[in-house]
Amino acid sequence: SALRPKAPTQASTSTMPPPIPKKPVGTPLFGIARPTLVIECFLDLCCPFSKKMFVALTTQVLNAGPDKFGGQVELVFQNVPQPWHAQSSYMHEVALAVSLVNEAAFYPAVSAIFEAQTDFFDDKVMDKTRSQVYSDLIDVVVPALAAAGFAEVTADAIGEKLALTGEGNSGSAVTLPMKWAIKYHRLRSIHVTPTVLVNGIEAPDISSGWTGEQWDEKIAALLA
């Protein structure tokens, strides 16, 4: 009968599934296809201990490139903005915005933010707006990226990724990557920064105070 209601379609009877990232969450340093060791560092850009670990890894351990360990070791940066430092979210959003413009610029941007980290501590940003913190962060990363050969990652390009897409809680281009980052570390029960997973298993013996030599010894033992 023409008056009989049509059977509901699949689209109308089911809710949309949550978005799934099209590639693994986190940013690899080298992009090695099948590494033997994957070192996932869960770091907060506002955390001094995270900075210490990042600097040791990138300037003392993996700074020689992937060939140092025969192309067997990959470092993956996982974003963990800690909510007790509200500005940490803005710091990670700027790093993710850079990555959306050019993923290869992510690590130089993170290095620059870590270098200027104390300028974004609670006492420095307490009276600043979100837009002001974004602007200050962009002022930090753009010159560093230009010096590193990423002149295309301009202030306007980063700002475009941070701009709201509409009214209300519409978010920006970095909102979904931030959600994936948060969901990823929550599913792994990551609370403390830094936390390190090696091949998906927590390595609680690894400390933010480790020297390059200690990292080298740990990696060599795992590769033996």
Side-chain angles (χ1 to χ4, degrees):
S1 168
L3 298 177
R4 182 175 297 170
K6 293 182 178 179
T9 64
Q10 182 67 28
S12 64
T13 58
S14 62
T15 58
M16 292 293 292
I20 300 296
K22 295 182 179 180
K23 60 183 180 179
V25 173
T27 306
L29 177 60
F30 301 126
I32 298 170
R34 291 186 61 83
T36 303
L37 289 182
V38 177
I39 301 172
E40 287 184 281
C41 290
F42 292 77
L43 307 177
D44 172 18
L45 289 172
C46 203
C47 167
F49 303 104
S50 293
K51 174 184 176 180
K52 196 171 185 180
M53 179 175 285
F54 179 87
V55 170
L57 280 168
T58 57
T59 66
Q60 301 175 37
V61 183
L62 300 172
N63 53 308
D67 292 341
K68 176 177 179 178
F69 296 105
Q72 298 182 80
V73 178
E74 181 66 273
L75 172 67
V76 179
F77 187 105
Q78 298 292 358
N79 294 273
V80 185
Q82 298 287 25
W84 43 87
H85 303 300
Q87 70 277 16
S88 179
S89 290
Y90 307 154
M91 296 166 80
H92 284 269
E93 283 180 328
V94 169
L96 288 169
V98 168
S99 186
L100 289 177
V101 178
N102 185 344
E103 188 176 52
F106 177 82
Y107 276 86
V110 166
S111 295
I113 293 171
F114 270 137
E115 181 67 25
Q117 186 187 68
T118 56
D119 292 335
F120 298 92
F121 280 176
D122 295 348
D123 61 335
K124 299 295 196 302
V125 302
M126 186 67 180
D127 297 321
K128 292 187 176 182
T129 67
R130 179 178 183 176
S131 294
Q132 286 173 325
V133 176
Y134 279 159
S135 179
D136 290 346
L137 285 162
I138 290 171
D139 287 344
V140 165
V141 301
V142 167
L145 293 177
F150 297 101
E152 79 281 3
V153 187
T154 62
D156 287 343
I158 298 170
E160 182 180 339
K161 301 301 182 184
L162 297 168
L164 296 179
T165 58
E167 297 180 351
N169 288 330
S170 58
S172 66
V174 299
T175 299
L176 189 54
M178 273 284 281
K179 288 182 176 181
W180 284 329
I182 302 304
K183 189 171 187 177
Y184 188 85
H185 79 252
R186 284 178 178 173
L187 284 170
R188 285 148 185 81
S189 300
I190 303 297
H191 174 66
V192 174
T193 54
T195 292
V196 178
L197 303 189
V198 178
N199 289 345
I201 303 298
E202 185 176 356
D205 58 315
I206 296 177
S207 167
S208 62
W210 271 19
T211 63
E213 290 77 10
Q214 287 173 296
W215 273 105
D216 285 343
E217 291 173 5
K218 178 72 171 181
I219 292 170
L222 290 169
L223 292 175

